[in-house]
Amino acid sequence: MKVCKLHSLALAAGLLVSASAMAAGELNLYNWSDYIPQDLLKRFEKETGIKVNLDVFDSNESLLAKLKAGAKGYDVVVPSDYMVKIMRDEGLLEKIDASKMPNFKLVEAPLNKPDFDPQREYSAPYMWGVTGFTYDASRVPGGKLDNSWKSFFTPPAALKGKVVALNDVAELYKAAAIYLKVDQCTEDPKQAKRIQDLLEAQKPMLAMYNSDGTIERMQAQEVIMHQQWNGAAYRTRQKLKSAVFVYPKEGIPFWNDNLVIPKGAKNRDNALKFINWMMEPKNIAEASNFTGYNNAIKGSAAYFVADLKADPAINPTAAMRALFVPNKNCSAKANALRDRVWTKLKK
């Protein structure tokens, strides 16, 4: 999912919601930054009388760390697919039986029975998308790059210092694994070393690792290429018409984000109302129109704005869908290898 730009308020916040925010009639939502429209939250407030307080995070790992550190006060949080299982196994989630909610009948396959929560006992779907990369065709040699991860990991020399990778171990490691035809959950140190070597070789070409401000950075033409989620690419193109989002031929990470209730949530009933409300086609479509991502709710496309509905990056062809590589929940050994690669890379 996905991050665009942290609000200054949230940067200052990074705080637990106040005790006063736990009163009846409120909902404390912890979401990715720039990932739900304020107008939609205001409409929820108007229709239900429940006041929404929004705080934001920038990665699944920071979300997990905060909850494991004992953060209290959040009623709904928005982890990605693989993180749902991790949070469930850590005892951090309430069982909500989303499959029994009135609007769950509208959830389309395969996200009605995902591998990470087959019975939807702990989660309900929010957005789904893919993670590729975007380049500015007006500023690359020849005006076009190959539809391959090679263009991102070994970009033309002219792009040195004008490429940004996401500051996200899962996204970058997985993309490298797909390019090298390595299992994303490899437990083989030699295969992890191949990923390490690729990322180390790419590092001198990068301006930074950053998951925030991907849209603004590309639109301002501060950089030429950016690893991006497809929704961020869609929004980038609204102002930068020369932006091209790539579905690499080797495969592309497919993910979905989910609505869950953390253990001990004070406003559980309000959280359940919100989750069911978000599975209404009109409501989730408003979120899709804002974020630029698709969703799993039948009938929502009827409410999409025209350019979102027509964009193949958001509504991919069958050939593009064939490139999807779903996230997997890796073993502790595989995760330790991945984290070791990331630690060495970021030194």
Side-chain angles (χ1 to χ4, degrees):
M1 174 342 63
K2 310 340 184 185
V3 164
C4 302
K5 186 177 183 181
L6 287 174
H7 305 300
S8 58
L9 177 61
L11 282 171
L15 306 170
L16 305 183
V17 289
S18 67
S20 62
M22 298 179 190
E26 294 194 327
L27 175 80
N28 300 305
L29 174 63
Y30 195 31
N31 199 355
W32 298 82
S33 64
D34 213 12
Y35 203 39
I36 193 165
Q38 287 290 340
D39 286 347
L40 181 62
L41 297 180
K42 289 177 181 176
R43 186 157 62 79
F44 175 75
E45 291 178 340
K46 184 177 180 180
E47 292 182 13
T48 65
I50 298 170
K51 184 180 185 302
V52 180
N53 305 298
L54 176 65
D55 193 6
V56 298
F57 57 87
D58 65 351
S59 74
N60 281 291
E61 285 64 35
S62 63
L63 164 63
L64 178 65
K66 191 164 185 178
L67 293 183
K68 287 184 69 173
K72 302 293 182 183
Y74 297 119
D75 302 309
V76 175
V77 299
V78 192
S80 297
D81 35 31
Y82 73 95
M83 187 54 65
V84 171
K85 186 176 186 303
I86 291 172
M87 293 173 70
R88 184 195 68 194
D89 292 347
E90 294 275 357
L92 296 172
L93 298 183
E94 293 276 352
K95 191 173 181 180
I96 63 172
D97 289 323
S99 63
K100 297 178 183 177
M101 292 181 179
N103 288 331
F104 189 83
K105 62 182 181 293
L106 299 171
V107 177
E108 297 180 307
L111 293 181
N112 59 333
K113 296 180 180 180
D115 290 344
F116 59 87
D117 188 12
Q119 303 304 316
R120 282 292 188 185
E121 295 177 292
Y122 294 89
S123 65
Y126 183 50
M127 300 283 113
W128 66 259
V130 292
T131 310
F133 63 92
T134 303
Y135 67 87
D136 184 348
S138 70
R139 301 170 67 201
V140 300
K144 184 176 176 62
L145 297 177
D146 289 341
N147 287 350
S148 168
W149 281 113
K150 182 178 181 180
S151 299
F152 174 69
F153 286 114
T154 59
L159 272 60
K160 186 173 184 178
K162 294 293 183 179
V163 180
V164 180
L166 293 174
N167 189 31
D168 188 311
V169 56
E171 294 284 26
L172 192 57
Y173 188 92
K174 184 177 178 181
I178 291 171
Y179 175 52
L180 295 173
K181 296 181 172 58
V182 171
D183 183 350
Q184 63 180 281
C185 291
T186 183
E187 296 182 354
D188 184 347
K190 291 181 180 178
Q191 297 301 320
K193 180 65 163 54
R194 290 180 63 203
I195 294 174
Q196 178 84 56
D197 291 345
L198 178 67
L199 298 180
E200 291 286 1
Q202 180 200 35
K203 191 174 181 178
M205 299 297 293
L206 299 179
M208 66 186 83
Y209 298 95
N210 202 325
S211 299
D212 302 329
T214 74
I215 298 167
E216 294 83 359
R217 196 172 292 116
M218 284 294 294
Q219 289 179 340
Q221 296 188 302
E222 296 173 11
V223 296
I224 298 173
M225 183 189 297
H226 211 308
Q227 187 181 15
Q228 266 191 329
W229 300 284
N230 60 326
Y234 163 77
R235 294 169 70 182
T236 295
R237 286 195 301 276
Q238 290 176 336
K239 289 187 178 179
L240 183 65
K241 302 304 181 185
S242 53
V244 175
F245 181 73
V246 176
Y247 271 71
K249 61 187 178 183
E250 299 87 358
I252 190 167
F254 169 80
W255 48 264
N256 86 281
D257 292 330
N258 302 271
L259 303 170
V260 303
I261 300 179
K263 201 77 170 179
K266 301 296 183 182
N267 299 303
R268 177 185 167 87
D269 288 347
N270 291 346
L272 292 170
K273 289 177 184 176
F274 178 76
I275 291 172
N276 185 62
W277 190 85
M278 285 302 302
M279 288 189 284
E280 285 277 357
K282 181 180 178 181
N283 301 337
I284 195 68
E286 189 172 336
S288 284
N289 287 335
F290 174 79
T291 64
Y293 295 102
N294 213 322
N295 65 75
I297 303 302
K298 190 183 306 180
S300 63
Y303 299 95
F304 283 2
V305 294
D307 59 343
L308 182 72
K309 190 181 297 187
D311 191 334
I314 309 304
N315 290 302
T317 64
M320 289 174 168
R321 287 175 181 264
L323 297 171
F324 287 2
V325 180
N327 284 335
K328 292 165 59 177
N329 284 95
C330 303
S331 67
K333 183 176 180 180
N335 286 333
L337 271 179
R338 185 193 71 178
D339 292 344
R340 195 177 310 153
V341 168
W342 187 249
T343 299
K344 289 180 180 178
L345 181 68
K346 296 300 290 291
K347 281 184 177 179

